[in-house]
Amino acid sequence: MYLRKMLICVIVLFFCLSCGKKKDTAFYDDPGTPSYGDTIITASIGEPSNLIPMLSSDSPSHEVASYIYNGLVKYDRNLNVIGDLAESWEISKDNLSFTFHLKRNVTWHDGTPFTAHDVMYTYKVTIDPKTPTAYSGDFLLVKKAEVLDDFTFKVTYEKPFAPALMSWGIAVLPRHLLEGKDITASPLRRAPIGTGPFIFKEWTGGDRLILMANPRYFEGRPYISRYMMRIIPDSATTFLELKQNGIDMAGLTPMQTLRQTDFPKFKREFNKFKYLSFTYVYLGYNLRHQFFKDKRVRQAISYGINKQEIIDGILLGEGVEATGPFKPDMWAYNGNVKKYAYDKEKALALLAEAGFRKGTDGILYKNGTPFEFTVLVNQGNDVRIKCAELIQRRLSEIGIRVKIRVIEWAALINEFIDKRNFEAVMLGWSISQDPDPFDIWHSSKQGKKELNFIGFENKEADDLLVKARHTLDRAERKGYLFRFQEIVAEEQPLTFLFVPYANIAIQKRFKGIDPGPAGLMYNFIKWYVPENQRRYKANAALSP
Amino acid sequence: MPHYLLKRLLFMIPMLFGITLISFVVIHLTPGEPGVLEAEMNPKVTKEVRERIRAYYGLDKPLHVQYYLWLKRVVKLDFGTSFAPDRRPVIDKIKERLPITITINLFSMVLIFIIGIPIGIYCARYKDSLADKFLTAFVFAGYAAPTFWLALLLMMFFGVYLEMLPISGIKSFDFTDLNPFEKVWDITKHLILPVSISAFGGLAGVSRYMKNSLLEVLRQEYITTARAKGIPESIILRKHALRNALLPVITILGLSVPGLIGGSVIFESIFSIPGMGQLFYMSVMARDYPTIMGILVIGAFLTLLGNLLADIMYAFADPRIRIG
């Protein structure tokens, strides 16, 4: 009896607690005016490892560091290079040297003025063989770096190098705190000091990391006063936290975007944004394989795969067809290349031309060998595994037997890709914002651990890649890259599948968000919360 | 007794040595290497850079040399520096995370014993009754249900639908602005779900153990004697049977250490609790060998210590063990 009463009490209590929090649906519709205040809470699957960005290669570290440090240059909304710490720059007539004129009113978070010596230090420490950094590649091509005066910095290259300018977007480090010390043991790893819009406040290991707005930021103080990154290692938990308003911003999967967030309470609280992510997913062939050597076979497979079906069925429409190694909203993208719309007849015709005959079991044979191959996919990536399954089915219709093997990421790379021990792989490449496909596509890049693991070799493409790399004039460079994309589309060393959309949910009180080709965060300091919609009291401005 | 203790202690040394050797080999056999793992397939990472990083971590040396170097340091209780880019001493990383893991495990252990023992007694007393069957089903459901699944369901129910409990973490957003009483309440609220879930999984072991050992005792002749003397059943149970039946349960205390440490890995990741389990998970993902080895050694040490304590307590409580 007593127990039952207790139970009833508890249930009534639950109901009381669960209702009563009703908010007006139009509450967040008022765009208001920009004001300083509030906090944004984001979540990260992994914990940042090191806040000196050149010592780490994980994305959480780089995300946090991007709010704390600046480079000399950066990208704007449309991926044009603009000055960050550099006011302006000149390129010499022979295209070999860059002279950066630095901004004069910039100070480090500790009050020390920023000068060209900081840039020099950053360059030197990056190329120092004792520094364990993954980012020295571009800087090793520099022939000479010099400080002309406190606010002028000049670098000279051996030969013109197109990605050179953007390589100076690397975070500039404070010389006065690091010079002469072991950078790998510096306290700045966990308490960074930069020039950027946010100042580091605290970091509780495995739990949270807090930044405060920099009131003296040279581009103006950010409207949002406080940035908090919570470390939540489980993506399902992240999504629950988002639904409970525990975090303000999180990436969504297509399923979450279209189905699981489609209810009034979520719509009342969150806006969803999307932009084309900097990746494409592909089916890559080992070009040393006896069947895949033949261009017609690769083209036939591309015809035999229904890309639209993959986008509609697996991404639920949240993606666009990929035709080459760039995404459609980049200047380097050539949309006018050979495309492979789903066409079974064409596929069969090409395969017949390549010498394949259908056997009694419905499988294609060439000289007695059945056409079958294994696609390797990395574990945990459901989208790719499902893609492989759709491809398996489509190709079985034209008489190709596909097997799918799912392997853990590190094993896939080390045991199969690096040893060239594969027939086909389903992987994705990230697209760099500065279009330089050299490392992935040049025939010289086939060594151990190098990225042209499919073994693509094409004289003309090699030539174009080198030219594009060493041309600073964008129109000319674009010409080379356009032709390169035509070759790749014709050759189909990979079947380009799709470029997915990145979907982000952001709490509705944040205004001023404008997704573009560069993504969302490029104008983060201009995001604001109108005063009447503020949720968290940030402890005013941090006095530096 | 001292002789027995000494034997046990000496035996721990080769055991610990064996554990480290096997762990070291297994961890190094998994594909992927620290530092470069995230940079895998990154066009900006050249071959030279890769070699440089490998040399920096000492991974270019043969495996047995690496193990020897590692062992030489560990003997001096130096766990080395983490391979994660933060390059912090492993011991610092573990020290800052160990307390929360131990706290949660202690709470859940207490909970397991407070709930598990009465369930076991009840089930033994009313063997084969409907309530016994129901309780058995209940504890086995807890044992069988995957932690992560149960955790997500409860998070959704208490967090999203009822908005009663926080979903993850151990501190609220505005923790630093709270007064001490609110701080305690805040942490308590955050710990309710993780502690109950980790306890739920452990109930089966303790309650079954308790039930069987009590049933065993109740069959003894001295219980029959007590009954024949006309002592009320409740007193027989409490005074005569329970004391003896509790003996084997002591051992579970020591033996449940590895299970709890293993469980921490899962629920700390789901609830994003900054404990040792989460650290272990992240280190494995990043192939941070020194941290992995550090945690394994400490885990192994705690397990052996737990076993030793259980043996000692048991020997202390039961003369038959001591003498034999």
Side-chain angles (χ1 to χ4, degrees):
Chain A
M1 234 8 239
Y2 177 69
L3 259 174
R4 191 174 298 165
K5 267 185 200 156
M6 276 284 282
L7 200 69
I8 291 170
C9 279
V10 169
I11 291 172
V12 168
L13 199 69
F14 278 2
F15 276 106
C16 290
L17 285 165
S18 59
C19 39
K21 282 187 184 172
K22 289 273 180 292
K23 227 182 264 168
D24 186 5
T25 36
F27 180 70
Y28 292 117
D29 286 355
D30 171 22
T33 47
S35 74
Y36 298 105
D38 214 337
T39 300
I40 186 161
I41 307 179
T42 65
S44 167
I45 291 268
E47 177 161 27
S49 57
N50 186 326
L51 294 180
I52 297 178
M54 70 159 155
L55 297 182
S56 58
S57 48
D58 57 305
S59 58
S61 301
H62 281 257
E63 190 187 335
V64 172
S66 73
Y67 306 129
I68 295 173
Y69 297 97
N70 297 94
L72 293 184
V73 290
K74 65 178 178 188
Y75 287 109
D76 70 359
R77 181 182 184 279
N78 297 313
L79 294 176
N80 299 309
V81 179
I82 56 170
D84 196 0
L85 285 170
E87 185 77 57
S88 62
W89 60 89
E90 288 139 26
I91 302 171
S92 65
K93 286 233 168 58
D94 56 4
N95 283 337
L96 288 177
S97 43
F98 297 77
T99 311
F100 294 99
H101 301 283
L102 309 179
K103 286 182 181 159
R104 285 167 186 266
N105 55 349
V106 181
T107 55
W108 294 98
H109 294 155
D110 63 359
T112 317
F114 157 78
T115 67
H117 296 286
D118 294 312
V119 186
M120 189 66 182
Y121 169 76
T122 306
Y123 163 71
K124 277 189 177 154
V125 77
T126 309
I127 57 164
D128 185 344
K130 287 204 289 293
T131 311
T133 175
Y135 302 96
S136 56
D138 287 347
F139 279 2
L140 289 170
L141 301 170
V142 173
K143 193 171 82 180
K144 198 165 92 185
E146 42 199 330
V147 174
L148 298 185
D149 64 53
D150 270 2
F151 297 100
T152 318
F153 181 73
K154 188 179 172 192
V155 277
T156 311
Y157 288 82
E158 203 69 64
K159 51 183 174 178
F161 181 52
L165 181 58
M166 209 44 225
S167 70
W168 292 95
I170 193 171
V172 176
L173 301 171
R175 176 181 75 130
H176 66 284
L177 296 171
L178 288 165
E179 191 163 52
K181 293 173 189 147
D182 177 10
I183 189 168
T184 61
S186 164
L188 296 192
R189 290 170 304 161
R190 294 187 67 78
I193 287 179
T195 50
F198 285 86
I199 298 177
F200 174 82
K201 173 130 182 281
E202 68 172 83
W203 178 2
T204 316
D207 187 31
R208 66 183 61 183
L209 193 148
I210 297 173
L211 309 177
M212 303 296 279
N214 178 0
R216 296 184 308 190
Y217 186 51
F218 58 89
E219 283 184 6
R221 173 182 163 191
Y223 289 119
I224 295 172
S225 299
R226 183 156 52 166
Y227 168 94
M228 178 160 139
M229 176 189 264
R230 287 187 53 192
I231 293 123
I232 305 177
D234 187 84
S235 58
T237 310
T238 307
F239 187 55
L240 288 177
E241 280 283 4
L242 186 76
K243 289 214 266 190
Q244 200 211 19
N245 275 315
I247 52 180
D248 293 319
M249 178 171 160
L252 302 175
T253 63
M255 187 58 102
Q256 288 171 341
T257 310
L258 293 169
R259 309 271 161 78
Q260 294 166 351
T261 58
D262 195 29
F263 56 93
K265 190 186 153 202
F266 194 88
K267 285 183 181 162
R268 193 175 70 226
E269 294 284 332
F270 289 94
N271 281 319
K272 284 178 252 179
F273 295 91
K274 70 167 151 188
Y275 59 90
L276 279 177
S277 64
F278 284 90
T279 52
Y280 63 88
V281 173
Y282 61 85
L283 177 68
Y285 312 106
N286 190 342
L287 302 177
R288 303 159 194 92
H289 186 275
Q290 51 157 336
F291 291 162
F292 294 135
K293 263 184 201 156
D294 191 336
K295 177 172 94 181
R296 289 167 298 189
V297 172
R298 305 190 302 259
Q299 288 177 334
I301 296 179
S302 293
Y303 277 122
I305 294 172
N306 190 342
K307 297 186 199 176
Q308 201 52 48
E309 170 187 76
I310 291 175
I311 292 169
D312 292 341
I314 297 167
L315 298 183
L316 306 172
E318 296 296 307
V320 294
E321 225 170 88
T323 57
F326 302 121
K327 62 173 190 154
D329 54 5
M330 291 170 82
W331 59 263
Y333 176 76
N334 182 356
N336 233 339
V337 296
K338 186 169 178 185
K339 294 196 174 98
Y340 296 82
Y342 176 59
D343 190 336
K344 219 166 119 178
E345 299 314 313
K346 258 190 194 162
L348 283 171
L350 278 164
L351 286 168
E353 207 180 299
F356 286 93
R357 298 283 170 269
K358 206 155 246 180
T360 45
D361 52 356
I363 302 288
L364 290 169
Y365 284 85
K366 185 178 182 180
N367 307 331
T369 320
F371 196 168
E372 54 176 31
F373 64 91
T374 306
V375 178
L376 305 181
V377 197
N378 65 303
Q379 195 177 45
N381 196 321
D382 277 349
V383 169
R384 289 185 198 162
I385 296 170
K386 283 183 200 149
C387 281
E389 282 163 1
L390 273 188
I391 287 173
Q392 182 182 43
R393 178 171 164 273
R394 283 294 169 197
L395 292 184
S396 77
E397 285 174 6
I398 54 173
I400 301 172
R401 196 186 287 149
V402 178
K403 289 179 196 147
I404 299 170
R405 193 162 164 205
V406 182
I407 303 168
E408 191 259 339
W409 174 249
L412 175 65
I413 302 298
N414 286 292
E415 301 301 317
F416 296 90
I417 304 276
D418 286 350
K419 295 187 176 152
R420 311 291 183 249
N421 175 22
F422 65 97
E423 290 165 323
V425 283
M426 176 82 85
L427 283 174
W429 277 123
S430 53
I431 306 169
S432 65
Q433 291 161 316
D434 183 65
D436 181 28
F438 180 83
D439 288 302
I440 297 176
W441 296 97
H442 195 270
S443 61
S444 69
K445 291 286 176 182
Q446 295 186 52
K448 190 173 181 283
K449 278 282 176 198
E450 287 187 313
L451 301 178
N452 186 0
F453 57 82
I454 55 168
F456 179 63
E457 286 178 20
N458 183 300
K459 281 255 156 53
E460 195 192 347
D462 278 358
D463 196 38
L464 287 164
L465 285 171
V466 173
K467 276 189 188 151
R469 198 160 207 234
H470 298 298
T471 306
L472 294 186
D473 178 58
R474 188 191 273 193
E476 199 189 334
R477 198 175 164 202
K478 190 168 164 177
Y480 297 137
L481 291 172
F482 266 47
R483 175 70 195 129
F484 167 72
Q485 287 172 76
E486 283 169 15
I487 295 173
V488 170
E490 171 65 27
E491 290 287 327
Q492 290 289 301
L494 333 160
T495 295
F496 297 92
L497 295 170
F498 56 82
V499 179
Y501 278 108
N503 283 291
I504 314 278
I506 302 178
Q507 222 282 335
K508 272 193 174 170
R509 66 183 194 279
F510 296 98
K511 323 282 181 192
I513 304 162
D514 177 24
L520 270 183
M521 303 309 288
Y522 68 93
N523 71 339
F524 184 50
I525 65 167
K526 297 287 175 221
W527 294 13
Y528 66 91
V529 179
E531 213 168 339
N532 59 340
Q533 294 170 27
R534 233 176 249 174
R535 172 170 295 166
Y536 302 110
K537 276 180 284 164
N539 306 346
L542 186 81
S543 46
Chain B
M1 188 71 183
H3 178 71
Y4 172 77
L5 202 65
L6 197 70
K7 209 169 75 184
R8 295 288 323 205
L9 274 174
L10 283 178
F11 194 60
M12 270 173 76
I13 296 170
M15 194 101 105
L16 204 59
F17 181 76
I19 293 174
T20 63
L21 182 67
I22 291 172
S23 325
F24 195 86
V25 170
V26 168
I27 285 295
H28 281 77
L29 280 181
T30 43
E33 282 184 347
V36 288
L37 196 67
E38 291 142 344
E40 210 74 83
M41 310 296 272
N42 181 345
K44 292 281 172 214
V45 183
T46 59
K47 212 164 60 179
E48 294 72 34
V49 169
R50 219 174 263 284
E51 291 308 313
R52 202 200 274 177
I53 292 177
R54 291 198 71 208
Y56 181 82
Y57 287 132
L59 295 171
D60 47 353
K61 297 190 179 73
L63 196 58
H64 60 272
V65 178
Q66 289 185 44
Y67 180 67
Y68 172 71
L69 291 173
W70 178 81
L71 201 65
K72 215 166 72 177
R73 274 187 285 113
V74 170
V75 175
K76 289 180 274 179
L77 287 181
D78 171 13
F79 287 101
T81 320
S82 163
F83 278 180
D86 62 5
R87 308 290 297 146
R88 297 174 68 207
V90 169
I91 199 77
D92 285 1
K93 286 181 112 168
I94 295 177
K95 246 195 294 190
E96 108 194 346
R97 283 159 176 268
L98 199 58
I100 180 76
T101 302
I102 289 186
T103 312
I104 292 180
N105 282 334
L106 269 182
F107 276 132
S108 73
M109 196 111 102
V110 169
L111 211 60
I112 289 173
F113 277 83
I114 288 182
I115 301 174
I117 290 179
I119 289 182
I121 297 173
Y122 186 88
C123 289
R125 176 91 164 77
Y126 302 101
K127 191 166 167 287
D128 294 332
S129 69
L130 200 64
D132 171 31
K133 281 178 183 147
F134 173 77
L135 283 171
T136 308
F138 175 76
V139 296
F140 274 100
Y143 184 69
T147 316
F148 70 93
W149 175 77
L150 196 66
L152 286 176
L153 285 187
L154 291 181
M155 277 152 94
M156 210 151 128
F157 185 67
F158 289 105
V160 179
Y161 289 121
L162 302 179
E163 297 185 14
M164 285 180 68
L165 294 173
I167 289 174
S168 64
I170 46 162
K171 291 172 188 168
S172 283
F173 160 79
D174 48 357
F175 187 74
T176 39
D177 303 335
L178 300 175
N179 65 42
F181 175 74
E182 286 170 328
K183 277 185 184 172
V184 172
W185 175 232
D186 188 57
I187 293 183
T188 314
K189 262 197 328 199
H190 280 89
L191 288 184
I192 290 176
L193 281 183
V195 168
S196 7
I197 285 173
S198 104
F200 189 36
L203 282 182
V206 170
S207 60
R208 291 266 96 188
Y209 229 94
M210 188 67 229
K211 181 185 172 185
N212 287 342
S213 122
L214 190 56
L215 283 177
E216 183 76 20
V217 172
L218 286 177
R219 274 199 292 272
Q220 301 291 322
E221 281 167 354
Y222 66 87
I223 297 290
T224 317
T225 314
R227 285 206 181 109
K229 283 201 295 187
I231 300 173
E233 190 68 21
S234 62
I235 292 182
I236 293 179
L237 205 66
R238 210 168 53 230
K239 281 204 162 164
H240 301 257
L242 198 56
R243 279 190 186 181
N244 287 308
L246 268 174
L247 279 178
V249 178
I250 295 174
T251 44
I252 295 206
L253 235 154
L255 297 177
S256 51
V257 174
L260 287 172
I261 293 178
S264 304
V265 175
I266 296 168
F267 74 78
E268 282 181 10
S269 295
I270 292 177
F271 285 104
S272 63
I273 291 165
M276 207 166 81
Q278 201 198 74
L279 180 69
F280 186 68
Y281 177 73
M282 289 182 172
S283 320
V284 171
M285 288 334 242
R287 307 289 191 273
D288 180 356
Y289 301 142
T291 311
I292 299 174
M293 289 306 296
I295 295 175
L296 284 176
V297 168
I298 289 180
F301 180 73
L302 287 180
T303 307
L304 291 179
L305 198 73
N307 286 357
L308 183 73
L309 278 180
D311 282 350
I312 293 174
M313 282 198 295
Y314 202 50
F316 194 71
D318 191 340
R320 281 170 297 185
I321 305 286
R322 233 176 321 173
I323 294 157

